[in-house]
Amino acid sequence: MGWFWADLSASANPVAPHPISRKDVAPPPGCPMHTVSPASTPLDALTPAADSSCPYVPPDTPSPTTKPASSDSTLSKLNPLNYIPSYLSQARAPDQTIDLPIERTRSSIPKGSANNEGNWEYPSPQQMYHAMLRKGGGEIPVDAVESMVAVHNFLNEGAWAEIVEWERRFGKGLGKGWRECRRGEEGSMAGAGMEENDQVAQPRLLKFMGRPKDMTPKASMLQVMGWIYPAKYGGAPPFDRHDWFVQRHAPKGQPREVRYVIDYYSAPPEPSGEPVFYLDVRPAIDRPSAVIERMMRWGGDVWWKASGGIVREATS
């Protein structure tokens, strides 16, 4: 995930992230899905590539006929927000058999720390194709690139929807977070449109980083549990991992940066053949309050169900 740049306003509504399915599309070989597979290849055979390849293109990207200034420094060619090459051409690649659209799609994800910075924007199919050529890894089906972009954008919107839900609960402090979580997942979701919740300042995505080589502690633990109890916990490891850095507007004081970790899983396809993906989005445990937030959300839902909250809600 994470192919963004910004200069336009938001327009799309976030999509619920898990489970996520798309019809007649294949996982893109770039970010977050790294392997283009024929229809006969199962989704759980997907494996991450050696490096993340999410290209960031800033608003002042040169035109297709303009080339960036040369530099001997590798770091000078990378965008500081994600350490990815800043320039990806919109021109047709050598030996490209068909034309690809160069229009870029606006995301619903606010960019930067100020409201006037606009929204992140997704790459065009032509830019994604250049990114995959830069990455390498075999022949790339040009006619599948548009579908890859659609899946990529769809999953990004789902990941952001999950982050917005975390911020809705805990953006105004742990006290409000527990009042939300103790009602269980369904009860908290049902109150999402209430006036108190609407007063939570919307988060903003400051930067992001693809880390496909670095398995998260939770994913590693699930793999160990899968070896011990394969019937219950067995499954393929995540095919990608991303860290998103989000600006949270605390109830008091200055806004602060909160890191979120996202694991991307493939799941068995639907009976209709539609691929299914699961996203595990949660705050990174790099601050004490993040540990409490995760315990509250998990424990609150367990308590709600164990105490008969579902029955009380149905009979009330």
Side-chain angles (χ1 to χ4, degrees):
M1 303 306 299
W3 301 31
F4 306 109
W5 61 96
D7 59 5
L8 300 173
S9 59
S11 60
N13 293 324
V15 183
H18 58 285
I20 295 178
S21 63
R22 294 282 299 194
K23 182 182 289 184
D24 300 329
V25 294
C31 171
M33 283 71 73
H34 302 282
T35 304
V36 178
S37 303
S40 60
T41 303
L43 284 175
D44 57 9
L46 296 174
T47 55
D51 300 296
S52 176
S53 63
C54 307
Y56 170 84
V57 183
D60 56 352
T61 300
S63 64
T65 57
T66 306
K67 300 214 173 165
S70 60
S71 172
D72 294 332
S73 171
T74 301
L75 289 177
S76 67
K77 300 177 183 178
L78 303 180
N79 186 276
L81 296 180
N82 50 20
Y83 302 101
I84 292 166
S86 296
Y87 173 74
L88 284 174
S89 174
Q90 293 273 34
R92 185 166 172 156
D95 301 324
Q96 183 176 326
T97 56
I98 61 174
D99 290 330
L100 290 172
I102 61 173
E103 292 77 18
R104 299 172 294 185
T105 302
R106 294 172 294 182
S107 79
S108 66
I109 306 173
K111 174 183 181 292
S113 58
N115 292 332
N116 61 2
E117 293 190 53
N119 279 39
W120 292 93
E121 189 180 14
Y122 298 119
S124 68
Q126 183 64 65
Q127 288 176 317
M128 178 177 267
Y129 184 61
H130 279 294
M132 291 187 290
L133 291 176
R134 180 193 296 266
K135 184 183 181 66
E139 183 179 353
I140 300 170
V142 183
D143 57 351
V145 172
E146 289 188 65
S147 294
M148 297 173 187
V149 172
V151 173
H152 168 271
N153 299 356
F154 185 72
L155 291 177
N156 269 324
E157 294 295 326
W160 183 247
E162 274 291 284
I163 290 175
V164 169
E165 176 60 22
W166 277 98
E167 291 298 307
R168 183 185 71 81
R169 298 179 188 226
F170 297 103
K172 296 185 71 174
L174 295 176
K176 176 184 179 300
W178 173 244
R179 291 194 298 272
E180 289 289 334
C181 293
R182 70 182 180 182
R183 299 157 56 196
E185 286 295 301
E186 294 183 5
S188 180
M189 292 289 189
M194 299 176 64
E195 180 179 355
E196 179 187 1
N197 295 322
D198 291 340
Q199 295 175 357
V200 177
Q202 288 298 301
R204 306 184 68 87
L205 179 60
L206 301 173
K207 58 184 178 179
F208 54 90
M209 181 181 299
R211 302 174 61 184
K213 293 181 178 180
D214 303 327
M215 186 175 291
T216 62
K218 181 179 179 180
S220 299
M221 185 180 301
L222 289 175
Q223 289 301 297
V224 173
M225 295 296 291
W227 297 333
I228 301 174
Y229 303 106
K232 186 174 182 179
Y233 296 101
F239 55 78
D240 199 9
R241 174 251 178 106
H242 265 245
D243 290 11
W244 287 18
F245 298 82
V246 173
Q247 178 179 269
R248 171 180 293 181
H249 293 273
K252 297 179 181 179
Q254 296 297 321
R256 60 193 179 103
E257 182 178 285
V258 177
R259 182 168 65 97
Y260 281 87
V261 177
I262 308 171
D263 284 325
Y264 299 89
Y265 292 89
S266 60
E270 298 284 356
S272 61
E274 296 178 5
V276 177
F277 307 98
Y278 285 86
L279 308 185
D280 187 0
V281 183
R282 69 274 187 195
I285 303 180
D286 49 14
R287 52 192 172 84
S289 59
V291 179
I292 300 174
E293 289 171 10
R294 290 170 64 163
M295 292 178 64
M296 279 185 178
R297 187 161 185 184
W298 175 81
D301 193 53
V302 171
W303 165 254
W304 176 256
K305 294 175 180 176
S307 63
I310 297 178
V311 176
R312 292 196 305 270
E313 191 77 17
T315 57
S316 61

